Amino acid sequence: MALIAGPTASGKSALAIELAERVGGTVINADSAQVYAELRVLSARPSVEDEARVQHRLFGHVAGTEDYSAARWAEEAKAEIKTAQERGSLPVLAGGTGMYIRTLLDGIAPVPEIDPAIRAEVRALPVSETHRLLGEADPEAAARLNAGDTTRVARALEVVRSTGRTLAAWQAERVGGIGEAIDLAPLILLPERAWLAERCDRRLSAMFGEGAVEEVHGLLERADIPANAPVRRAIGVAEIAAFLEGSLTRDEALERAQAATRQYAKRQYTWLRHQPPADWPRTDSTDISKQIGYFARFL
């Protein structure tokens, strides 16, 4: 299996398609935003034309009404990898969501299903109160997490309340990873930062003119997709929503979306540089022909 990981706008999709074309491979999405059906443009999913070039899986297959997770993605990815291998097609994973990659390869903490009543109660609290209560129930998690990180703070509190164990205790156990059962050929794309920032800005500008604004308008019109739905937290949604609602100009919304994208790319860059195994090859080359060389054993 080939794995191409890189921050947003690093060119991993183009490389994955090129490799899959050469070897009869199947491109499998490993990006948390690109799973949503409603966000083809804003998530930079491959175009319809690119998807027609090779088999693509797990792109745009989730409705924005669904609460998707890394655990569900990993199970679906394992099934797609198995299917591709059975038909003699090389699975080519492409994405930059570190949690997805870790969950697939290393497994996931076997946290039981959270009691729905507890989840609803925790998610209804203001984040400041959630963090205060977490400090009482799990002081180590409260000290570790940013008090304003709504999602992570709520997750830590709901786990300890529902299961009686801290999230860290559950995370010490991992099950279901396939890292030791597959022949993995990874490549991490880490292009020069200035090049990456410029590409992020240029891509956001193009998105605004090619349908991203209309996509967000469609989300806002959907009464069945609440404001706190994961799809509404995708980068660019809040900024475009503010533009559509009149609190930002178009240029202001674009600038803020570009800044948010650059910050996200910076976090991905740092994670990919330091967290994956040290023996995974990393390259700063943006030349696809050179990048393809890392997968010579498949060619």
Side-chain angles (χ1 to χ4, degrees):
M1 182 179 82
L3 168 63
I4 300 168
T8 185
S10 61
K12 53 191 175 289
S13 178
L15 174 58
I17 292 171
E18 178 74 17
L19 176 61
E21 275 192 319
R22 295 195 186 198
V23 301
T26 299
V27 178
I28 300 173
N29 172 44
D31 182 283
S32 60
Q34 292 185 353
V35 301
Y36 289 108
E38 294 84 355
L39 295 181
R40 176 182 290 277
V41 176
L42 196 56
S43 70
R45 265 169 46 201
S47 66
V48 173
E49 293 76 19
D50 281 339
E51 287 184 339
R53 290 167 59 186
V54 296
Q55 295 282 341
H56 280 72
R57 295 290 183 268
L58 305 186
F59 289 88
H61 71 299
V62 178
T65 53
E66 298 182 58
D67 192 5
Y68 200 65
S69 68
R72 177 177 160 187
W73 175 84
E75 289 305 309
E76 292 176 346
K78 281 188 271 188
E80 294 294 351
I81 290 166
K82 183 174 183 290
T83 298
Q85 291 173 330
E86 287 175 346
R87 66 170 186 266
S89 177
L90 175 70
V92 182
L93 269 68
T97 302
M99 181 61 72
Y100 279 20
I101 296 169
R102 284 188 59 188
T103 301
L104 176 66
L105 298 180
D106 301 335
I108 193 168
V111 181
E113 288 293 322
I114 302 301
D115 183 317
I118 291 176
R119 168 162 286 172
E121 179 184 354
V122 168
R123 299 298 170 106
L125 294 170
V127 66
S128 58
E129 178 66 5
T130 309
H131 192 263
R132 185 188 69 78
L133 293 171
L134 181 62
E136 297 175 358
D138 185 356
E140 291 185 3
R144 183 176 67 253
L145 296 173
N146 185 315
D149 191 335
T150 306
T151 301
R152 293 179 185 275
V153 171
R155 174 63 173 167
L157 182 59
E158 70 184 19
V159 167
V160 71
R161 282 191 169 185
S162 183
T163 71
R165 296 180 68 192
T166 67
L167 184 57
W170 286 109
Q171 288 175 336
E173 308 171 26
R174 291 199 168 265
V175 298
I178 65 171
E180 296 183 359
I182 57 171
D183 179 15
L184 180 66
L187 178 63
I188 299 176
L189 306 182
L190 295 174
E192 197 274 330
R193 288 178 185 265
W195 179 93
L196 184 63
E198 189 277 332
R199 188 177 175 93
C200 286
D201 285 353
R202 181 157 37 90
R203 193 175 71 174
L204 255 295
S205 182
M207 287 175 177
F208 267 54
E210 295 173 0
V213 174
E214 290 75 14
E215 284 183 341
V216 175
H217 181 266
L219 282 180
L220 298 180
E221 292 291 300
R222 295 275 299 276
D224 58 338
I225 301 180
N228 63 348
V231 69
R232 292 278 296 267
R233 296 198 294 269
I235 292 175
V237 172
E239 293 81 5
I240 294 176
F243 160 57
L244 292 171
E245 292 162 358
S247 58
L248 292 177
T249 67
R250 186 183 187 281
D251 287 345
E252 288 170 339
L254 175 58
E255 289 173 4
R256 292 193 185 187
Q258 288 172 329
T261 301
R262 291 194 302 270
Q263 286 297 315
Y264 180 59
K266 182 178 179 181
R267 293 194 299 272
Q268 287 181 302
Y269 197 106
T270 300
W271 191 92
L272 290 165
R273 185 176 182 183
H274 298 291
Q275 293 302 316
D279 61 348
W280 282 19
R282 289 140 167 94
T283 180
D284 61 2
S285 175
T286 58
D287 184 333
I288 286 185
S289 63
K290 292 182 180 179
Q291 294 168 347
I292 285 287
Y294 285 91
F295 301 102
R297 63 177 159 130
F298 297 122
L299 303 174

